Amino acid sequence: MTCNKMSELDVASFVNAQVKIIKEALGNEKALIAVSGGVDSTVSALLTHKALGDNLICAFIDDNFMRLGEPDRVKAMLSAPPLNLPVRILNERERFMKALKGLVDAEDKRKAFRETFYQTLSDAAIVEECKYLVQGTIKADIEETQGGIKTQHNILEQIGINPVEKFGYKVIEPIKSLYKYQVREVARYLGAPEIASERQPFPGPGLSVRVVGEITDDKLDQVKAATLVVEESFMMLKPAQYFTAILSGGSYEAPKILKREAVEAINKDDIQVYARYLSEKATGIVEGTRAYGLVSTFKVLDYSENIVQLDYETLDDMRSKIQESFPEVTRVLYQIVERSDGEGYIIAMRSVETQDFLTAEITEVPWDILISTANKILTACPKVVKVYYDITPKPPATVEYE
Ligand code: XMP
């Protein structure tokens, strides 16, 4: 479970200082912010709204990669008291789908997303006559982008892109010195409701990084339905972050030694172990930098053909032995249920415990919840045939799949 770290942050002074800095820097100029409902953009919008009032324009970009019903839900939450932020939704679904069409590689997708995101904001800034763009960049975003772990969607200047030249606006980042838990403290101080201040993070590129490989309407529909199931089922465990990712379902047999390592680690009689590699890769971290690695899947059955419900110690033992011997494997997935007939997509359930998101442990979700959630996913997602639980910590995996 997430515990609260003692913060060295003086929240009231931080808020006063930031409001003053924004006021002095912008004067009577207008600013634009892309809000998502996440705690980072909400806190940045609240600080800027305090400084600028009506000169702040809050845009929710509906890029088609949000969860079911999210645009309207977020708009309602942010516009209502006590936050009272003036939010408008921009429907940009077609633009984003077109920009990402045919792309398979994680970094190519992230770059195309980022380009489209900023171009969309640039168009909105011109219409609204805003010279400034406010961003909810936090410390971990900068550290991870500089460390080469990924192309964070909201990082520009740190990787040498001049936003004035390229997009026509200056960027201000009022919370870039804070870690996530400190942003939550500021949110609570500013009166944000619990659904905003304690909201689990959702990546800027949204479900585009959870549809592994090429994005299609079909995969998006299925992952949206599965996400809803996992969010409802895991919520009571209060993990730091919990979601699903969808993969095409293509796979091939993993090396025999990998299976042998798993059998040794499990150390049980009367079991059958099936080990495969998925045809798509997923991101991970090897020696401190981002790596695109193999995803291995394990199905462990007893002789009545039932899935063996291994305890978490054994699961981790198996996983770590495999990843020590095969560092190219950045993810290990353990099968929970499968449909008896036909081919189709794979859903990976992911749930992690972390404070700073730079490292993370998996949530030890009780087996009865794993099974009931996976079965509900099969019911909600007719094109999904197998559901797994991702048992990989960060590192060597990343939290997200791309
Ligand atoms: P990873 O996958 O890098 O994720 O272990 C760490 C945390 O960052 C979130 N994340 C993002 N957030 N823009 C964001 O605003 C992004 O491009 C992005 N990529 C990952 C992720 O959900 C997790 O909380």
Side-chain angles (χ1 to χ4, degrees):
M1 296 302 112
T2 318
C3 57
N4 268 332
K5 212 169 182 172
M6 282 299 288
S7 177
E8 59 292 351
L9 182 72
D10 178 343
V11 179
S13 312
F14 175 83
V15 168
N16 289 337
Q18 286 307 321
V19 171
K20 191 161 170 255
I21 291 168
I22 299 169
K23 246 187 205 157
E24 283 173 6
L26 271 71
N28 289 325
E29 292 291 349
K30 286 170 86 178
L32 175 70
I33 183 165
V35 287
S36 64
V39 68
D40 303 342
S41 62
T42 301
V43 166
S44 303
L46 288 171
L47 291 170
T48 315
H49 197 233
K50 267 182 177 295
L52 304 185
D54 290 346
N55 273 348
L56 176 70
I57 313 286
C58 302
F60 182 102
I61 299 178
D62 182 358
D63 53 17
N64 203 23
F65 307 138
M66 295 289 165
R67 290 160 287 196
L68 274 179
E70 196 154 22
D72 292 330
R73 219 172 33 243
V74 167
K75 182 182 174 188
M77 188 261 291
L78 294 178
S79 321
L83 304 185
N84 301 314
L85 291 168
V87 179
R88 60 189 76 164
I89 298 175
L90 307 181
N91 184 344
E92 301 286 350
R93 290 182 171 212
E94 253 178 60
R95 183 176 187 164
F96 277 86
M97 288 301 277
K98 222 162 133 188
L100 274 85
K101 198 173 161 54
L103 299 181
V104 173
D105 178 84
E107 274 296 283
D108 291 346
K109 285 168 69 184
R110 276 182 172 272
K111 282 185 182 134
F113 180 92
R114 189 177 61 196
E115 190 73 19
T116 313
F117 181 80
Y118 283 104
Q119 208 51 63
T120 304
L121 285 177
S122 178
D123 294 351
I126 290 169
V127 173
E128 302 291 344
E129 299 179 329
C130 295
K131 287 200 186 127
Y132 288 85
L133 178 75
V134 185
Q135 294 212 121
T137 315
I138 64 169
K139 209 166 182 171
D141 299 341
I142 297 172
E143 287 176 356
E144 294 215 310
T145 298
Q146 285 171 340
I149 289 170
K150 65 170 171 292
T151 304
Q152 186 78 16
H153 86 285
N154 57 357
I155 298 290
L156 291 174
E157 284 164 283
Q158 289 84 359
I159 54 164
I161 294 177
N162 181 333
V164 180
E165 275 172 22
K166 195 160 163 72
F167 300 109
Y169 43 63
K170 284 187 190 159
V171 171
I172 51 171
E173 298 170 316
I175 56 168
K176 70 176 176 193
S177 62
L178 305 185
Y179 283 111
K180 185 70 96 186
Y181 68 95
Q182 297 172 314
V183 183
R184 294 196 196 284
E185 289 176 23
V186 179
R188 288 178 213 125
Y189 175 82
L190 292 172
E194 209 176 301
I195 49 164
S197 67
E198 312 313 311
R199 194 173 193 246
Q200 62 156 322
F202 187 65
L207 300 177
S208 74
V209 294
R210 296 178 181 170
V211 173
V212 182
E214 188 177 0
I215 297 177
T216 60
D217 288 328
D218 219 22
K219 280 156 111 182
L220 265 175
D221 284 348
Q222 300 290 291
V223 83
K224 282 180 186 178
T227 299
L228 203 63
V229 173
V230 160
E231 289 196 343
E232 277 171 6
S233 304
F234 288 8
M235 186 168 51
M236 63 185 176
L237 302 170
K238 295 196 166 74
Q241 196 169 9
Y242 47 113
F243 59 88
T244 63
I246 191 163
L247 299 110
S248 72
S251 69
Y252 54 100
E253 203 174 335
K256 294 264 180 307
I257 346 164
L258 185 128
K259 176 175 151 178
R260 220 174 300 138
E261 296 246 0
V263 171
E264 263 172 40
I266 297 169
N267 193 23
K268 269 188 195 298
D269 294 331
D270 300 338
I271 55 163
Q272 316 161 61
V273 175
Y274 302 89
R276 299 190 71 78
Y277 282 159
L278 296 185
S279 47
E280 284 130 344
K281 290 184 171 181
T283 52
I285 299 166
V286 178
E287 288 167 7
T289 45
R290 176 191 175 281
Y292 216 8
L294 292 169
V295 182
S296 64
T297 63
F298 286 89
K299 175 162 90 166
V300 182
L301 298 179
D302 61 21
Y303 276 94
S304 315
E305 302 284 311
N306 294 314
I307 298 279
V308 178
Q309 300 179 14
L310 293 178
D311 59 69
Y312 278 95
E313 204 180 327
T314 311
L315 282 173
D316 196 55
D317 213 31
M318 176 188 100
R319 178 207 59 78
S320 59
K321 288 210 170 80
I322 287 160
Q323 290 190 299
E324 264 162 40
S325 309
F326 297 85
E328 63 274 30
V329 173
T330 53
R331 300 259 164 183
V332 181
L333 306 183
Y334 194 79
Q335 187 172 305
I336 310 298
V337 292
E338 81 182 303
R339 224 187 273 285
S340 50
D341 52 335
E343 291 187 352
Y345 301 124
I346 282 176
I347 286 283
M349 303 186 286
R350 180 102 169 114
S351 182
V352 294
E353 307 299 331
T354 175
Q355 273 282 337
D356 57 14
F357 292 89
L358 298 173
T359 62
E361 297 301 322
I362 65 158
T363 308
E364 296 192 0
V365 178
W367 262 97
D368 56 336
I369 298 180
L370 286 178
I371 294 168
S372 64
T373 310
N375 277 315
K376 282 183 199 160
I377 290 174
L378 288 188
T379 307
C381 308
K383 294 183 178 169
V384 169
V385 287
K386 289 177 185 158
V387 181
Y388 293 85
Y389 189 50
D390 184 336
I391 58 169
T392 339
K394 174 182 181 177
T398 46
V399 174
E400 301 290 348
Y401 272 64
E402 294 193 331

